[in-house]
Amino acid sequence: MNCVLNPHPSTLLSSPMWENTRCHHGLYFQDGQRRVDYILTYPVKKASSAMPSSSVVDMELGCPGEMLNGHEHHKALRREEFEGKLREMGLEIEKEEDTKIQGVGFVKIHAPWNVLCREAEFMKLKMPTRKVRLHKSSGVVGKINTLVNKVLEPLHPHVEEHQPKNIKHLSHTFSREKQHLVFYKYQPIGLVRKYFGEKIGLYFAWLGLYTQMLIPASLVGVFVFLYGCATVDDNIPSMEICHPKNNITMCPLCDRVCSYWKLSTACATARASHLFDNPATVFFSIFMALWAAMFMENWKRRQMRLNYEWDLTGFEDEEVSGDHPRAEYEFRVMQKSLCKDQKSQQKVEKLTYRDRLPAYMTNIVMMLLMIGVTFAIVFGVILYRISTKAALHMSSNPITRNHVQLTVKTTAAIINLVVILILDEVYGAVARWLTVLEVPKTDKSFEERLIFKTFILKFFNAFTPIIYIAFFRGRLVGRPGSYLYVFESYRMEECAHGGCLMELCIQLSITMLGKQLIQNNLFEIGIPKLKKLIRYIRSKQGAFQEEERQKKLQRYETDHFLEPFAGLTPEYMEMIIQFGFVTLFVASFPLAPLFALLNNIIEIRLDAKKFVTELRRPVAARAKDIGIWYNILRGVAKVAVIINAFVISFTSDFIPRMVYQYMYSPDGSMHGFVNHTLSYFNVSHFQDGKETMDPLHLGYSIEICRYKDYREPPWSATPYEISKEFWAVLAVRLAFVIVFQNVVMLMSDIVDWIIPDIPKDISLQIHKEKILLVDLFMKEEQGKVYILESRPSAGGTEKCSRSNNSNSTVAHPHSGLHTNNNKNL
């Protein structure tokens, strides 16, 4: 059976008039009194027509080899048995098979008040007992908070507040014997949490805080970018490259078809590189590492405050699925039991490591294979760049030849983006298939394993091209006269004179913006709408009948066509990948936080629209934190420190500039830095067949050309050997990585230590509430003792006992607590 939660989310925000006119359109049983709390659907095969191929078929737990589309009678018996179990639990059921949706039947379920009370006690839900006034900060801090609240008041949504923000109810674990302490008030909790449950409420709370924290990061990133724009005309290395008298002749960038070229032609690239490769980027990398630490700490505090407001401080995340095995696990256990003899069937069977070993081996092999596919595609894009560059250099169009680098970089980045988008969908399906093979015992274990596999595959998919450009491109090139080749014909790529940082910025920006625009936004709404359209077509409901059909359908029939809720994994995953773009390579793209902020402002609205109008209402799930996602965030933040240290040290020219200025510059300035980083090559030392076909391209014969490297000149005793300057720069680079990593991580730990995980006001209030609760129950017990002592010993005790028993079992079924809390219970 499939489930459709009812009512539709739009009914929560509807007007009273609308509710009165539509109250019987699928929201209640036929008696018009009992509200529909849950909907089950099942395929109906009528005698007049065969069941449509598109009908939903429920996964029955049967013997191996049983056909899913057969044994309709057996399925009906199983459904009756299942419905009987629901009735035994106290739930009330009403079936609807004569519906306007062909081949689908509906089972409406109502949970009576006594069942809600019983389950609330089992789940240890909190109930309000006594209203208290929250502790408010006094003095300067209190005045500042008041001022901030007034300033931010226009930003709050215009929703009805049912009690002041400084009022809260003391809560106690639900007990049917303590209900006489309860008076229900509409608590000041978020509408998202009230309607969708704590788990989804925490997601939107986390997304909101993450977006809010991106504001200062965006401002600092824009400042760094503007600093680069303001100082580009004062940058001495780019000035030397762009100087009109600069007549440095560079060696060809490819074999045969490429010619010698003037360094001054790289002026635009050098100036653009300075926008992202300047001293401010080091500061920004440190800032973003501390920002990540502050974001994690602020989320812990925000999470603790929500736990307090939502009465989850004592909740131990005891999910229903955490105690009960998944259906697939029970099926495998049953199969294993059937293979045993009669004696062994007396023992409780369970799946052991040996049973899962084939699945584990399949997981390892497939994960490595998928990562290998990612590497192979990156290698294919490398070959595309090499071959395309050579082909464009052969063009007779001078404009094409002058823009070879930009054309190749941009098209390669777009190809990488398309491949990433395609493989993301493939890897998501592969990760789910591999997780199903493992047969995890519980839903929580299944979700965590699925998240881990999906994250690993999508992380490699998104960041492998970027990691190649940042750390490998231009490193394994060789030198003129002794280049490294792939397949003996493709010469490895070199970085432009401005370094690979500019190309890294292009790849990062196109991938990030493309994923956010196409995958996160267009797919966010487009795919659910497309699937909804397919369901309409398969249900044989003509498009021309859409308007009339919508008027006649019951609410649960309309909700049946919505997309089933597939969990929060896709929502978290796209944000975690974005968090990686913001933190991992932020030294090369300081505008990444700004683009992430703009995307998230739209993302929150799209997610809200999707959950409310495009998806079936999910089952409300309780949770006190975001689970494994927090650990992934911490891991990404730690890795970001290391990666940014290597980007600054090895990808940018920050370290070579510092080494030259303080060790080799004759006057302590950057004058002569460009010439210092270029080595000499005698063109007569080219390998046979590798020299340029047009040696007179510049109008004169070339004897010596330059290339970017630290090597001895051809006239030295050890020509073309690595020079001592190379080792000096390498030593400083490694030292910088070690120092940067340890200093930044130490500062992050200090931030972690300074900021308490629990806000002080919340900690004080929790302590105060415990004292008040003890005092409340002590007074109640004293009152009971007083009543017992004031009555005759025999008769009075019997009457009191009867009174207590009646109080423990009787509750008004139409109280406010029932009509508002049945969604969460």
Side-chain angles (χ1 to χ4, degrees), residues 331-377:
F331 179 75
R332 285 288 299 275
V333 170
M334 186 187 71
Q335 282 186 321
K336 181 179 179 181
S337 301
L338 292 176
C339 297
K340 302 290 183 179
D341 54 19
Q342 190 65 25
K343 294 182 179 180
S344 62
Q345 288 184 7
Q346 304 298 325
K347 300 179 181 179
V348 178
E349 295 290 346
K350 63 180 182 179
L351 298 183
T352 62
Y353 179 81
R354 179 177 297 178
D355 298 325
R356 290 192 173 100
L357 184 60
Y360 290 153
M361 296 300 298
T362 304
N363 269 260
I364 295 174
V365 172
M366 288 300 298
M367 290 286 287
L368 294 177
L369 178 61
M370 293 297 101
I371 294 175
V373 170
T374 302
F375 289 156
I377 291 176

Coordinates of all heavy atoms in Angstrom, one line a residue, residues 331-377:
F331 N 12.4 -9.9 5.3 CA 12.3 -10.9 4.2 C 13.6 -11.7 4.1 O 13.5 -12.9 3.9 CB 12.0 -10.1 2.9 CG 11.9 -10.9 1.7 CD1 10.8 -11.7 1.5 CD2 12.9 -11.0 0.8 CE1 10.6 -12.5 0.3 CE2 12.8 -11.8 -0.4 CZ 11.7 -12.6 -0.6
R332 N 14.7 -11.1 4.2 CA 16.0 -11.8 4.1 C 16.1 -12.8 5.3 O 16.6 -13.9 5.1 CB 17.1 -10.8 4.0 CG 17.3 -10.1 2.7 CD 17.8 -11.1 1.6 NE 19.1 -11.6 2.0 CZ 20.3 -11.0 1.8 NH1 20.3 -9.8 1.2 NH2 21.4 -11.6 2.2
V333 N 15.7 -12.4 6.4 CA 15.8 -13.2 7.6 C 14.9 -14.4 7.4 O 15.2 -15.6 7.7 CB 15.4 -12.5 8.9 CG1 15.2 -13.4 10.1 CG2 16.5 -11.4 9.2
M334 N 13.7 -14.2 6.8 CA 12.8 -15.3 6.6 C 13.3 -16.3 5.6 O 13.2 -17.5 5.7 CB 11.4 -14.8 6.1 CG 10.3 -15.8 5.9 SD 8.9 -15.2 5.1 CE 9.5 -14.9 3.5
Q335 N 14.0 -15.7 4.5 CA 14.6 -16.6 3.5 C 15.7 -17.5 4.2 O 15.9 -18.7 3.9 CB 15.2 -15.8 2.4 CG 14.2 -15.3 1.4 CD 14.9 -14.6 0.2 OE1 15.9 -13.8 0.4 NE2 14.4 -14.8 -0.9
K336 N 16.5 -16.8 5.1 CA 17.5 -17.6 5.8 C 17.0 -18.6 6.7 O 17.5 -19.8 6.7 CB 18.4 -16.6 6.6 CG 19.5 -17.2 7.3 CD 20.4 -16.2 8.1 CE 21.5 -16.9 8.8 NZ 22.3 -15.9 9.6
S337 N 15.8 -18.3 7.3 CA 15.2 -19.3 8.2 C 14.7 -20.5 7.4 O 14.7 -21.7 7.9 CB 14.1 -18.7 9.0 OG 14.6 -17.6 9.8
L338 N 14.1 -20.3 6.2 CA 13.6 -21.4 5.4 C 14.7 -22.3 5.0 O 14.4 -23.5 4.6 CB 12.9 -20.8 4.2 CG 11.6 -20.0 4.5 CD1 11.0 -19.4 3.3 CD2 10.5 -20.9 5.2
C339 N 15.9 -21.8 4.9 CA 17.0 -22.7 4.4 C 17.6 -23.5 5.6 O 18.4 -24.4 5.3 CB 18.1 -21.8 3.9 SG 17.7 -20.9 2.4
K340 N 17.1 -23.3 6.8 CA 17.6 -24.1 8.0 C 16.7 -25.3 8.2 O 15.6 -25.4 7.7 CB 17.6 -23.2 9.2 CG 18.4 -21.9 9.1 CD 19.9 -22.3 9.1 CE 20.8 -21.0 9.1 NZ 22.2 -21.3 9.0
D341 N 17.2 -26.3 9.0 CA 16.4 -27.4 9.3 C 15.4 -27.1 10.4 O 15.4 -26.0 10.9 CB 17.2 -28.6 9.7 CG 18.2 -28.3 10.8 OD1 17.9 -27.3 11.5 OD2 19.2 -29.0 11.0
Q342 N 14.6 -28.0 10.8 CA 13.5 -27.7 11.7 C 14.1 -27.3 13.1 O 13.5 -26.5 13.8 CB 12.6 -29.0 11.9 CG 11.3 -28.8 12.6 CD 10.4 -27.8 11.9 OE1 10.5 -27.7 10.7 NE2 9.5 -27.2 12.7
K343 N 15.2 -27.9 13.5 CA 15.7 -27.6 14.8 C 16.3 -26.2 14.9 O 16.1 -25.5 15.9 CB 16.9 -28.6 15.2 CG 16.4 -30.0 15.3 CD 17.6 -30.9 15.7 CE 17.1 -32.4 15.9 NZ 18.2 -33.3 16.3
S344 N 16.9 -25.8 13.9 CA 17.5 -24.4 13.9 C 16.5 -23.4 13.8 O 16.7 -22.2 14.1 CB 18.5 -24.2 12.7 OG 17.9 -24.4 11.5
Q345 N 15.2 -23.7 13.4 CA 14.2 -22.7 13.3 C 13.7 -22.3 14.6 O 13.0 -21.3 14.8 CB 13.0 -23.3 12.5 CG 13.3 -23.4 11.0 CD 12.1 -23.9 10.2 OE1 11.0 -24.0 10.7 NE2 12.3 -24.2 8.9
Q346 N 14.1 -23.0 15.7 CA 13.7 -22.6 17.0 C 14.5 -21.4 17.5 O 14.1 -20.7 18.4 CB 13.9 -23.8 18.0 CG 13.2 -25.1 17.6 CD 11.7 -24.9 17.6 OE1 11.1 -24.2 18.4 NE2 11.0 -25.6 16.7
K347 N 15.6 -21.1 16.9 CA 16.4 -20.0 17.2 C 16.0 -18.7 16.5 O 15.4 -18.8 15.4 CB 17.9 -20.3 16.9 CG 18.5 -21.5 17.6 CD 19.9 -21.7 17.2 CE 20.5 -22.9 17.9 NZ 21.9 -23.2 17.5
V348 N 16.3 -17.6 17.0 CA 16.0 -16.3 16.4 C 17.1 -16.0 15.4 O 18.2 -15.9 15.7 CB 15.9 -15.2 17.4 CG1 15.6 -13.9 16.7 CG2 14.8 -15.5 18.5
E349 N 16.7 -16.0 14.1 CA 17.6 -15.8 13.1 C 17.9 -14.3 12.9 O 17.1 -13.4 13.1 CB 17.1 -16.4 11.7 CG 17.0 -17.9 11.8 CD 18.3 -18.6 11.8 OE1 19.3 -17.9 11.6 OE2 18.3 -19.8 12.1
K350 N 19.1 -14.0 12.5 CA 19.5 -12.6 12.1 C 20.6 -12.7 11.1 O 21.3 -13.7 10.9 CB 19.9 -11.8 13.3 CG 21.2 -12.3 14.0 CD 21.6 -11.5 15.2 CE 22.9 -12.0 15.8 NZ 23.2 -11.2 17.0
L351 N 20.7 -11.6 10.3 CA 21.8 -11.5 9.3 C 23.1 -11.2 9.9 O 23.3 -10.3 10.7 CB 21.4 -10.5 8.2 CG 20.1 -10.7 7.5 CD1 19.9 -9.6 6.4 CD2 20.1 -12.1 6.8
T352 N 24.1 -12.0 9.6 CA 25.4 -11.9 10.1 C 26.3 -11.2 9.1 O 25.9 -10.9 8.0 CB 26.0 -13.2 10.5 OG1 26.1 -14.0 9.3 CG2 25.1 -13.9 11.5
Y353 N 27.6 -10.9 9.5 CA 28.5 -10.3 8.6 C 28.8 -11.2 7.4 O 29.0 -10.7 6.3 CB 29.8 -10.0 9.3 CG 30.9 -9.4 8.5 CD1 30.9 -8.1 8.2 CD2 31.9 -10.2 7.9 CE1 31.9 -7.5 7.4 CE2 32.9 -9.7 7.1 CZ 32.9 -8.3 6.9 OH 33.8 -7.7 6.1
R354 N 28.8 -12.5 7.6 CA 29.0 -13.5 6.5 C 27.9 -13.4 5.5 O 28.1 -13.5 4.3 CB 29.1 -14.9 7.1 CG 29.4 -15.9 6.0 CD 29.6 -17.3 6.6 NE 30.7 -17.4 7.5 CZ 31.1 -18.4 8.1 NH1 30.4 -19.6 8.1 NH2 32.2 -18.4 8.9
D355 N 26.6 -13.2 6.0 CA 25.5 -13.1 5.1 C 25.6 -11.8 4.2 O 25.2 -11.8 3.0 CB 24.2 -13.0 5.8 CG 23.9 -14.3 6.6 OD1 24.3 -15.4 6.1 OD2 23.4 -14.2 7.8
R356 N 26.2 -10.8 4.8 CA 26.3 -9.5 4.0 C 27.6 -9.3 3.3 O 27.8 -8.3 2.6 CB 26.2 -8.3 5.0 CG 24.8 -8.1 5.6 CD 24.7 -6.8 6.3 NE 23.4 -6.5 6.8 CZ 22.9 -6.6 8.0 NH1 23.8 -7.1 8.9 NH2 21.7 -6.3 8.4
L357 N 28.5 -10.3 3.4 CA 29.8 -10.1 2.8 C 29.8 -9.9 1.3 O 30.5 -9.0 0.8 CB 30.7 -11.3 3.2 CG 32.2 -11.3 2.7 CD1 32.9 -10.0 3.2 CD2 32.9 -12.5 3.0
P358 N 28.9 -10.7 0.6 CA 28.9 -10.5 -0.9 C 28.4 -9.0 -1.2 O 28.9 -8.4 -2.1 CB 27.9 -11.5 -1.4 CG 27.9 -12.6 -0.4 CD 28.2 -11.9 0.9
A359 N 27.4 -8.5 -0.4 CA 26.9 -7.2 -0.7 C 28.0 -6.1 -0.4 O 28.2 -5.2 -1.1 CB 25.7 -6.9 0.2
Y360 N 28.8 -6.4 0.7 CA 29.9 -5.5 1.0 C 30.9 -5.4 -0.1 O 31.4 -4.4 -0.4 CB 30.5 -5.8 2.4 CG 29.6 -5.6 3.6 CD1 29.8 -6.3 4.7 CD2 28.7 -4.6 3.6 CE1 29.0 -6.1 5.8 CE2 27.9 -4.4 4.7 CZ 28.0 -5.1 5.8 OH 27.2 -4.9 6.9
M361 N 31.3 -6.6 -0.6 CA 32.3 -6.6 -1.7 C 31.8 -6.0 -2.9 O 32.5 -5.2 -3.6 CB 32.6 -8.1 -2.0 CG 33.3 -8.8 -0.8 SD 34.8 -8.0 -0.3 CE 35.8 -8.2 -1.8
T362 N 30.5 -6.2 -3.2 CA 29.9 -5.5 -4.4 C 29.9 -4.0 -4.2 O 30.2 -3.2 -5.1 CB 28.4 -5.9 -4.6 OG1 28.4 -7.4 -4.7 CG2 27.8 -5.3 -5.8
N363 N 29.6 -3.5 -2.9 CA 29.7 -2.1 -2.6 C 31.1 -1.5 -2.9 O 31.2 -0.4 -3.5 CB 29.2 -1.8 -1.2 CG 27.8 -1.6 -1.0 OD1 27.3 -0.5 -0.9 ND2 27.0 -2.7 -1.1
I364 N 32.1 -2.2 -2.4 CA 33.4 -1.7 -2.5 C 33.8 -1.6 -4.0 O 34.4 -0.6 -4.5 CB 34.4 -2.6 -1.7 CG1 34.1 -2.4 -0.2 CG2 35.9 -2.2 -2.0 CD1 35.0 -3.4 0.6
V365 N 33.5 -2.7 -4.7 CA 33.9 -2.7 -6.2 C 33.2 -1.6 -6.9 O 33.8 -0.9 -7.8 CB 33.6 -4.1 -6.7 CG1 33.8 -4.1 -8.2 CG2 34.5 -5.2 -6.1
M366 N 31.9 -1.5 -6.7 CA 31.1 -0.5 -7.5 C 31.5 0.9 -7.1 O 31.5 1.8 -8.0 CB 29.6 -0.8 -7.2 CG 29.0 -2.0 -7.8 SD 29.2 -2.0 -9.7 CE 28.2 -0.6 -10.1
M367 N 31.7 1.2 -5.8 CA 32.2 2.5 -5.5 C 33.5 2.9 -6.1 O 33.6 4.0 -6.7 CB 32.3 2.6 -3.9 CG 31.0 2.5 -3.2 SD 30.0 4.0 -3.2 CE 31.0 5.1 -2.2
L368 N 34.4 2.0 -6.1 CA 35.7 2.2 -6.8 C 35.5 2.4 -8.3 O 36.1 3.2 -9.0 CB 36.7 1.1 -6.5 CG 37.1 1.0 -5.0 CD1 38.1 -0.2 -4.9 CD2 37.9 2.2 -4.6
L369 N 34.6 1.6 -8.9 CA 34.3 1.7 -10.3 C 33.7 3.0 -10.6 O 34.1 3.7 -11.6 CB 33.4 0.5 -10.7 CG 32.9 0.5 -12.2 CD1 34.1 0.4 -13.1 CD2 31.9 -0.6 -12.5
M370 N 32.7 3.5 -9.8 CA 32.1 4.8 -10.1 C 33.1 5.9 -10.0 O 33.1 6.9 -10.8 CB 30.9 5.0 -9.1 CG 29.8 4.1 -9.3 SD 29.0 4.2 -11.0 CE 29.7 2.8 -11.8
I371 N 34.0 5.9 -9.0 CA 35.0 6.9 -8.8 C 36.0 6.8 -10.0 O 36.5 7.8 -10.5 CB 35.8 6.7 -7.5 CG1 34.8 7.0 -6.3 CG2 37.0 7.6 -7.4 CD1 35.4 6.7 -5.0
G372 N 36.3 5.6 -10.5 CA 37.1 5.4 -11.7 C 36.5 6.0 -12.9 O 37.1 6.6 -13.7
V373 N 35.1 5.9 -13.0 CA 34.4 6.5 -14.1 C 34.6 8.1 -14.1 O 34.8 8.7 -15.1 CB 32.9 6.2 -14.1 CG1 32.1 7.0 -15.1 CG2 32.8 4.7 -14.4
T374 N 34.5 8.6 -12.9 CA 34.7 10.1 -12.7 C 36.1 10.5 -13.2 O 36.3 11.5 -14.0 CB 34.5 10.5 -11.3 OG1 33.2 10.1 -10.9 CG2 34.7 12.0 -11.1
F375 N 37.2 9.7 -12.8 CA 38.5 10.0 -13.2 C 38.7 9.9 -14.7 O 39.4 10.7 -15.4 CB 39.5 9.1 -12.5 CG 39.7 9.4 -11.0 CD1 40.1 8.4 -10.2 CD2 39.4 10.6 -10.5 CE1 40.2 8.7 -8.8 CE2 39.5 10.9 -9.2 CZ 39.9 9.9 -8.3
A376 N 38.0 8.8 -15.3 CA 38.1 8.6 -16.7 C 37.5 9.8 -17.5 O 38.0 10.2 -18.5 CB 37.4 7.3 -17.1
I377 N 36.4 10.3 -17.0 CA 35.7 11.4 -17.7 C 36.6 12.7 -17.6 O 36.7 13.4 -18.6 CB 34.3 11.7 -17.1 CG1 33.4 10.5 -17.5 CG2 33.8 13.0 -17.6 CD1 32.1 10.6 -16.9

